[in-house]
């Protein structure tokens, strides 16, 4: 049985495209790190360099002195973790029902999932603000978490539905023949195979909430409850002039949690996929 192999020029083109994509993503991040460690004279230089000539931690010290970064990071972490957990708990059983019991209702729900992602934030912020105001959830991290859950739920549901459909229904039928009930089948058979999808969905919801800015800016009023993306804007002056060094240092620190979460979970996603493949 012959296997399809990518030709040399096509493979070279793939590697070239991958390299270009990595450069598109990586170069701004490298420049951010470089800027974070540059002293003030180098930041104003007409001939900037990639590697700081005299690296310093002064920008980090100034960033922590000027803004409450730790408190803001704690608020962001709390909101992101809670939103990811709640979204996954709600989306998992919904995705199972949509995948296993296909009907016009599930088709309509899938269409709603796709269409809902096209709505811009500005379109919903006014009615959302009024609803939260009536519920006394303005300037509340709990209200912000609920917004993040609702906003990430459609895409989380769409992702998990695809993972559920990838699990062979024959495994559940075999468990039912062996006498396992519906709940036992879902917990013991389906859920372990869905682990990579659940982790990937939680990662998506976490990063979305961690990086979100617009809702947090509008809904949170007191500085004690502001999230990290909102606090980063405080490094901009009244005339839009940025305090570049401290801003780069704070922005670099703000990217670390997302990178760490992805690095830790990525291994589990891969391992879970391999385990699921062996069990199947």
């Amino acid at each position: 049985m012959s296997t399809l192999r990518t030709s040399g020029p096509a493979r070279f083109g793939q590697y070239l495209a991958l390299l270009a994509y990595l450069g598109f993503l990586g170069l701004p991040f490298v420049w951010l790190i470089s800027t974070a460690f540059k002293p003030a004279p180098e930041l104003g230089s007409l001939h900037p360099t990639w590697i700081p000539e005299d690296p310093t931690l002064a920008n980090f010290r100034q960033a922590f002195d000027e803004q409450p970064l730790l408190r803001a990071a704690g608020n962001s972490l709390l909101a992101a973790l809670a939103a990811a957990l709640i979204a996954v708990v709600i989306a998992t059983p919904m995705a199972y029902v949509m995948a296993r019991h296909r009907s016009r209702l599930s088709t309509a729900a899938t269409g709603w999932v796709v269409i809902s992602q096209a709505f811009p934030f500005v379109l919903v912020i006014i009615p959302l603000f009024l609803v939260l105001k009536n519920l006394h959830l303005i300037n509340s991290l709990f209200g912000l978490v609920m917004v993040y859950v609702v906003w990430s739920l459609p895409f989380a549901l769409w992702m998990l539905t695809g993972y559920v459909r990838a699990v062979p229904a024959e495994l559940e039928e075999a468990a039912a023949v062996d006498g396992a009930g519906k709940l036992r089948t879902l917990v013991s058979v389906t859920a372990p195979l869905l682990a990579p999808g659940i982790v990937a969905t939680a990662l998506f919801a976490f990063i979305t909430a961690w990086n979100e800015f617009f809702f947090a800016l509008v809904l949170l009023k007191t500085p004690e409850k502001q999230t990290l993306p909102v606090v980063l804007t405080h490094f901009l002056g009244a005339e839009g002039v940025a305090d570049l060094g401290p801003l780069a240092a704070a922005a670099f620190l703000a990217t670390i949690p997302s990178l760490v979460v992805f690095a830790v979970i990525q291994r589990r996603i891969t391992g879970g996929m391999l385990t699921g493949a062996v069990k199947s």
Side-chain angles (χ1 to χ4, degrees):
M1 181 176 172
S2 61
T3 57
L4 295 177
R5 294 185 178 180
T6 306
S7 62
R11 180 172 297 181
F12 175 77
Q14 292 175 355
Y15 287 144
L16 187 63
L18 178 61
L19 183 61
Y21 183 68
L22 291 176
F24 175 77
L25 295 178
L27 290 180
F29 184 64
V30 173
W31 187 259
L32 175 68
I33 298 175
S34 174
T35 303
F37 288 95
K38 286 182 178 180
E42 289 190 44
L43 292 174
S45 174
L46 297 178
H47 303 285
T49 58
W50 283 93
I51 301 177
E53 297 178 0
D54 185 20
T56 178
L57 295 176
N59 292 325
F60 293 89
R61 290 192 292 267
Q62 184 178 347
F64 279 101
D65 290 340
E66 292 182 0
Q67 300 298 333
L69 296 180
L70 290 179
R71 183 178 63 199
N75 293 337
S76 291
L77 185 62
L78 176 62
L81 288 176
L85 178 61
I86 296 173
V88 166
V89 169
I90 295 176
T92 301
M94 292 177 62
Y96 181 82
V97 173
M98 288 178 60
R100 289 291 186 257
H101 304 281
R102 299 188 183 184
S103 62
R104 292 183 178 179
L105 181 61
S106 63
T107 303
T110 303
W112 165 76
V113 167
V114 176
I115 294 174
S116 65
Q117 299 303 301
F119 288 104
F121 289 177
V122 178
L123 188 64
V124 300
I125 190 61
I126 294 179
L128 180 63
F129 184 88
L130 295 177
V131 169
L132 292 178
K133 182 179 180 181
N134 292 331
L135 295 175
H136 304 287
L137 291 177
I138 296 296
N139 196 34
S140 166
L141 283 177
F142 178 75
L144 184 66
V145 168
M146 293 299 99
V147 172
Y148 288 165
V149 170
V150 173
W151 196 256
S152 62
L153 189 58
F155 191 76
L157 181 60
W158 177 75
M159 284 183 65
L160 283 173
T161 301
Y163 277 98
V164 174
R165 288 174 179 169
V167 176
E170 290 78 6
L171 295 177
E172 299 176 3
E173 296 172 358
V177 171
D178 291 337
K182 203 69 176 178
L183 181 60
R184 178 63 182 275
T185 301
L186 179 61
V187 173
S188 301
V189 178
T190 308
L193 296 176
L194 287 180
I198 293 175
V199 172
T201 304
L203 177 61
F204 158 79
F206 175 87
I207 293 178
T208 300
W210 176 267
N211 294 326
E212 200 283 322
F213 168 76
F214 186 65
F215 287 138
L217 177 66
V218 175
L219 300 178
L220 300 177
K221 301 300 181 184
T222 58
E224 292 78 12
K225 296 182 179 180
Q226 289 179 338
T227 58
L228 192 55
V230 177
V231 171
L232 290 180
T233 63
H234 297 171
F235 290 101
L236 299 176
E239 299 180 355
V241 179
D243 197 355
L244 193 56
L247 175 59
F252 169 60
L253 294 176
T255 62
I256 292 178
S258 296
L259 295 176
V260 171
V261 169
F262 179 79
V264 172
I265 292 181
Q266 185 268 343
R267 294 183 178 181
R268 296 190 177 183
I269 293 176
T270 305
M273 288 181 175
L274 293 175
T275 303
V278 172
K279 289 182 179 179
S280 299

